[in-house]
C-alpha cells in the first residue's frame, strides 16, 4: 500500500464501460511511503477529497479492494487516513 495526498481530480468523458460512473483522483505519495516524484491516478470509491491523506492499493489488490475484479484498474483509494502516528506534518 501507498500513503499519499490527493492533489487533484481527473475528468474523463470517454472510458472503458466498466469504469463509467467512477471518480478518478491524482495522488502524490508521501516521501516516506513511496516515490514523491511520481503521481498516481487512482479510482476512488471511498469519497476522498483534494487535500486528504489516503491509502492506495495497487495491482490486483486495487481491483479486489474496490470490488472491480474485471475492470482495468491498477490503483485504488481504499481508505482515508484520519490520524497517523509517524506521518510527516502536511
Amino acid at each position: 500500500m501507498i500513503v499519499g495526498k490527493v492533489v487533484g481530480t481527473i475528468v474523463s468523458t470517454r472510458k472503458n464501460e466498466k469504469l463509467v460512473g467512477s471518480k478518478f483522483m491524482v495522488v502524490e505519495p508521501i516521501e516516506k511511503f513511496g516515490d514523491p516524484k511520481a503521481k498516481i491516478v487512482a479510482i476512488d470509491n471511498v469519497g476522498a477529497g483534494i487535500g486528504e491523506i489516503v491509502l492506495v492499493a495497487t495491482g490486483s489488490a486495487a481491483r479486489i479492494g474496490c470490488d472491480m475484479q474485471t475492470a482495468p484498474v491498477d490503483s485504488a483509494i481504499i481508505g482515508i487516513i484520519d490520524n497517523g502516528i509517524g506521518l510527516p506534518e502536511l
Side-chain angles (χ1 to χ4, degrees):
M1 276 191 269
I2 297 168
V3 176
K5 183 176 184 178
V6 177
V7 295
T9 61
I10 297 285
V11 176
S12 175
T13 55
R14 295 183 60 159
K15 55 189 150 197
N16 182 286
E17 64 185 33
K18 294 179 181 181
L19 300 175
V20 172
S22 298
K23 178 177 155 189
F24 298 98
M25 306 300 278
V26 179
V27 178
E28 185 176 85
I30 293 175
E31 188 173 337
K32 289 176 131 182
F33 301 96
D35 182 0
K37 297 176 187 168
K39 291 187 174 59
I40 301 166
V41 175
I43 195 165
D44 176 25
N45 288 336
V46 297
I50 293 176
E52 292 191 289
I53 306 300
V54 295
L55 287 174
V56 178
T58 58
S60 61
R63 289 187 295 279
I64 293 167
C66 64
D67 198 25
M68 300 178 83
Q69 287 85 347
T70 60
V73 173
D74 188 50
S75 57
I77 296 173
I78 57 167
I80 298 171
I81 297 174
D82 295 321
N83 188 0
I85 297 173
L87 287 177
E89 291 294 323
L90 300 172

